[in-house]
Amino acid sequence: MPKDYVDEYEPLLIKDSNSSKFPSKLLLLAMFATCIGGTFQCGYNISVINAPTKYVQDFINITWMQRYQTSISETGLTLLWSTIVSIFTLGGFIGVLIGTTLSVKLGRRGTLLSNNTFSITAALLMGLSASAGSFELLIIGRLLCGINAGIALCVEPMYLGEIAPTALRGAMGMGTSIFLTVGIFLGQVMGLKEILGREEYWALLLSTTCVPAFLQLLFLPWFPESPRYLLIDKGDDEGCKKALIQLHGVEASDGALQDIQREKNNLVGFQAKKPWELFADRSVRWQLLTIILLNAAQQLNGVNAMYFYTHYVFQQSGIPTDKIPYATVGTGACECITALTCGLLIERLGRKVLIAGGYVLMSVCCVLFTLTLALQDVSPVFPYLSVACVFAFVLSFGLGPGGVTNILTTELFTQTARPAAFMIAGSVNWLSFFFIGLVFPFIVIGLQHYCFLVFFVVCSSVAVYILLAVPETKNKSFVEIQLEFQSSYKRKTSSSDEAETLIKSTSL
């Protein structure tokens, strides 16, 4: 390795990041700089909108009266409030569609930095909405927050997966889930009345989303672009070497460079693929099916329904109504702790054990929660068992499905296919999010607490699929994972051909 690179980055070097079980301080700082303006903001904006619900609705009422000298109808108020909340999902879908294209043109880091424009603009619009007397600014602001979240959820896992050593790729990838849950938790905390949850502060509360954006703009420029992007997409050998030395150290950078070079040689003549090209490529059929199922299941597994029932369950267990927000914050704290635990375990137990185990535990919780809800009036102990099921379900989700899904989306594809794969996975995820938000109220009306039997079918089916069809990816390079899927596909194809030949010969 050239001496001038070593001299320049001597203070940042670590002996061998691949030999360590945990990321170095530098990689942890890179994770913080990446996630604080990415999935942290996404989680924060998902939860922070809940606290000021009544205040925003009162603001819409007053604004409507000032404009039209008449009160807004109940249906109109519900429609406007639903639009403010749900347009975040539409923004997320738009963000996914433009995020993967930007990640190829601007690079992973460049896209993340540019993405903060949406967040800062959104914060400005939402902060000014009250003084301007315009609920339209709230709608536009929430749309921009959604675009920011869509881009972040698409590009951030790519960047973390590409800067991490192979042995630490899972631990680094868990940063996405950890910061998402921390964002949800802090959004709940900031919405408490003791902080910014009072009526006069609701616009300020929504505008605080700019703080993590400024933090990312402050810290992320100190870290390099993705080495894989520099070498494979841009052909920048020198830039790739400098980035690897800064991120991994001198000794580990040589092995990492060889791994990237092998992947580049394997992709000679290939351009970055479009989503429709992935659907036509038989060699990635099983990978594509896997990420579609996992991303759909991440939203359709019932975790959002469980949060919907928390208020009722906590009330039944005897918690005073004014104390329920604090109990809800407790569920957010549990999810944070579980995501952190998953980050510590993922390189020891592997991806397959955690995500399959998580879905198995969630299946069990669905059955038990259905039973405890049905028996609420039989004994005073059942409401407390329902509370235990809520926490167990949330913990099971955070242990595997909540964090491992994005890591697998990164690992199952090589460099040229990864952006398109994230576009497909992200689109499925956001559309499923929108679908469950639209359909779930009708499921509850029709099935009541038996709706969790539907989620039992989803969780158990996904668990079986993972156990049968998804290989372990721990400590494997992207090329090795690709070859394993291809060999598995060839075995299944040859078995199918042999069976067809046998049937034809038997019929003859």
Side-chain angles (χ1 to χ4, degrees), residues 227-232 235-238 240-241 244 253-268 415 477-479:
R228 290 180 183 275
Y229 173 80
L230 290 172
L231 184 61
I232 299 175
D236 185 358
D237 290 8
E238 299 299 310
C240 177
K241 291 174 185 176
L244 286 172
S253 63
D254 287 330
L257 182 61
Q258 291 173 8
D259 179 45
I260 298 174
Q261 192 64 56
R262 272 197 303 272
E263 185 175 348
K264 182 182 180 182
N265 294 338
N266 200 47
L267 298 172
V268 170
Q415 191 76 8
S477 69
F478 295 126
V479 174

Side-chain angles (χ1 to χ4, degrees), residues 114-392:
S114 303
N115 191 31
N116 289 296
T117 306
F118 295 107
S119 180
I120 294 170
T121 306
L124 183 64
L125 293 175
M126 292 189 294
L128 292 174
S129 60
S131 56
S134 172
F135 50 77
E136 292 87 354
L137 293 182
L138 274 178
I139 296 173
I140 298 170
R142 287 286 293 175
L143 176 67
L144 294 177
C145 284
I147 294 173
N148 172 272
I151 293 173
L153 282 171
C154 177
V155 181
E156 181 188 297
M158 269 196 283
Y159 181 69
L160 290 176
E162 291 175 9
I163 67 172
T166 300
L168 297 173
R169 201 167 55 226
M172 286 287 288
M174 276 305 300
T176 297
S177 175
I178 292 169
F179 276 82
L180 180 69
T181 56
V182 170
I184 292 172
F185 172 67
L186 283 183
Q188 294 168 339
V189 171
M190 294 295 287
L192 295 175
K193 289 185 177 180
E194 290 80 357
I195 306 178
L196 291 176
R198 293 198 292 271
E199 184 171 6
E200 61 267 29
Y201 294 141
W202 70 263
L204 177 61
L205 174 64
L206 296 180
S207 68
T208 51
T209 186
C210 67
V211 175
F214 284 123
L215 287 174
Q216 185 174 72
L217 289 172
L218 180 64
F219 292 113
L220 189 57
W222 293 95
F223 297 94
E225 180 55 84
S226 159
R228 290 180 183 275
Y229 173 80
L230 290 172
L231 184 61
I232 299 175
D233 291 79
K234 292 297 181 183
D236 185 358
D237 290 8
E238 299 299 310
C240 177
K241 291 174 185 176
K242 289 180 71 174
L244 286 172
I245 290 177
Q246 183 179 353
L247 293 167
H248 299 177
V250 177
E251 295 179 19
S253 63
D254 287 330
L257 182 61
Q258 291 173 8
D259 179 45
I260 298 174
Q261 192 64 56
R262 272 197 303 272
E263 185 175 348
K264 182 182 180 182
N265 294 338
N266 200 47
L267 298 172
V268 170
F270 287 92
Q271 298 290 328
K273 293 184 178 181
K274 302 292 188 292
W276 52 88
E277 293 175 335
L278 277 191
F279 283 108
D281 188 349
R282 297 171 68 90
S283 67
V284 295
R285 177 175 294 174
W286 281 100
Q287 294 97 304
L288 199 57
L289 176 61
T290 299
I291 65 161
I292 288 173
L293 286 176
L294 293 184
N295 277 274
Q298 195 175 33
Q299 297 298 338
L300 304 179
N301 57 30
V303 69
N304 296 313
M306 192 65 73
Y307 276 119
F308 176 85
Y309 266 93
T310 52
H311 189 279
Y312 167 77
V313 169
F314 290 149
Q315 199 171 42
Q316 288 292 101
S317 64
I319 298 175
T321 303
D322 61 329
K323 301 297 181 186
I324 287 177
Y326 301 95
T328 304
V329 168
T331 61
C334 282
E335 197 171 350
C336 290
I337 293 168
T338 315
L340 185 59
T341 304
C342 182
L344 298 174
L345 294 176
I346 192 165
E347 296 300 353
R348 299 188 181 202
L349 300 180
R351 288 65 157 151
K352 188 169 184 174
V353 170
L354 286 176
I355 192 168
Y359 275 117
V360 169
L361 291 174
M362 289 167 72
S363 302
V364 174
C365 289
C366 283
V367 175
L368 294 178
F369 192 57
T370 302
L371 290 174
T372 57
L373 286 177
L375 301 172
Q376 289 286 295
D377 299 326
V378 174
S379 169
V381 75
F382 282 107
Y384 297 100
L385 291 176
S386 297
V387 172
C389 286
V390 168
F391 280 93

